[in-house]
Amino acid sequence: MTEVAVAGAKRGCLSVLAVLLALAVLAVGAAAWLWQDHARFADTPLAARAPSVVVAPGDSVRGVLRKLREAGVDAGHDANWLLLARQVGAAGHIKVGEYALQPPLSPRTLLTRMRDGRVIQYRFTVVEGWNIRQLRAALKAATPLQHVTTDLDDAALMARLGFPGQHPEGRFLPETYLYQRGDSDLDVLARAHKAMDSALAEAWARRADDLPLRSADEALILASIIEKETALAAERPQIAGVFARRLKLGMKLQTDPTVIYGLGSSYDGNIRRRDLDTDTPYNTYTRTGLTPTPIAMPGRAALDAAVRPAPGSALYFVAVGDGTGAHVFSDDYAGHTAAVARYLQRRRASQAEPPVTPP
């Protein structure tokens, strides 16, 4: 009787152990499946209707997840996102900013970017030779840049930048500047102004010994004139040499871009004899020396040319007129007159040619 009871008890214990073992196997299997499913979620590219999502100050992981759902991201359960945020160290450390949602982008990559603050970067380029009106118009059209300077005149703008009384022309370095959503046009201008200050100081520090310029500001003015005279980098030092020699000799610079700048909005694309004869502070045909301010935003190459002009004896230059933008340099007025005649002849010939009818 006792042996039978013991045997039955053993069989009962074995049955319980078998059930527990089976449950354990199922639990392990289920856990493994859940883990694999979570791993697939973490590394599967997302699909979204919106191109980006914006994380605002104070947004938690749940708040960001709510915005992702609104943007059309339906991947994973909320628990997947919360667990993954803890795994990658994003929980409590998500940075403010705008983040791209374009594929291929996995939840793991997205949360890692949010943890590291790898926000969308936009580009704004200050073009060599722009004047301040063109620069401000381009800033006004830039998106998603915040526009806080639209209603400011140039004087108020420079005061906001911390340079009251400074003329804005030429003070912003032509380069490409990165910005993110939430930045303003004033932020971009402040960086461009600082970059120009630095580039100008570097250029002035390596200036030639016999330079006919008294200050870095005069170098900036000359660089702006050089910038507007030619788009060919190889010619900038030569043109700088012509202007430097003219300044040393007390000759007028006689450069058209300064006249055009002086005409302002009345310039219609043509310079007439009366424009050259009408005196303005910027007319280098009627006044000796540099203009009172820069006439454009010079790039680094123009700055370098202004402080290290090429040696030589040329005092004149005129466009070749062959469409390349190149110039002919002359030592005396007779040679210059001949070069001008050749330029006019090429111009008349090009205007007389009948239009080409495409086949």
Side-chain angles (χ1 to χ4, degrees), residues 163-337:
F163 301 93
Q166 186 182 74
H167 197 282
E169 199 64 81
R171 293 293 177 176
F172 305 94
L173 186 68
E175 279 187 355
T176 296
Y177 298 91
L178 299 178
Y179 68 92
Q180 64 189 57
R181 186 180 292 274
D183 287 347
S184 72
D185 49 5
L186 194 66
D187 296 325
V188 174
L189 286 173
R191 292 166 55 200
H193 190 282
K194 182 178 180 180
M196 178 58 85
D197 275 354
S198 176
L200 180 58
E202 292 172 5
W204 186 245
R206 56 177 180 268
R207 65 189 181 277
D209 293 334
D210 58 344
L211 200 65
L213 302 174
R214 296 169 296 181
S215 66
D217 282 351
E218 287 193 353
L220 181 64
I221 293 172
L222 181 57
S224 73
I225 298 173
I226 295 167
E227 187 69 70
K228 294 301 292 184
E229 272 291 3
T230 182
L232 300 180
E235 282 194 348
R236 289 186 182 120
Q238 289 178 274
I239 288 178
V242 170
F243 288 146
R245 286 185 285 277
R246 280 179 164 256
L247 288 171
K248 288 179 181 179
L249 294 171
M251 296 177 65
K252 295 181 177 69
L253 295 184
Q254 295 182 317
T255 169
D256 292 354
T258 62
V259 177
I260 293 172
Y261 187 84
L263 291 173
S265 58
S266 65
Y267 176 62
D268 62 1
N270 295 304
I271 297 182
R272 300 168 178 83
R273 171 53 60 181
R274 66 172 182 270
D275 298 325
L276 301 181
D277 295 338
T278 301
D279 182 54
T280 73
Y282 290 89
N283 190 340
T284 53
Y285 284 85
T286 61
R287 299 197 181 194
T288 303
L290 296 169
T291 53
T293 72
I295 62 170
M297 311 295 170
R300 294 181 184 273
L303 289 171
D304 289 339
V307 298
R308 302 194 70 83
S313 55
L315 291 172
Y316 303 88
F317 61 87
V318 67
V320 174
D322 59 356
T324 64
H327 292 81
V328 176
F329 295 83
S330 305
D331 291 355
D332 52 42
Y333 188 69
H336 177 61
T337 301

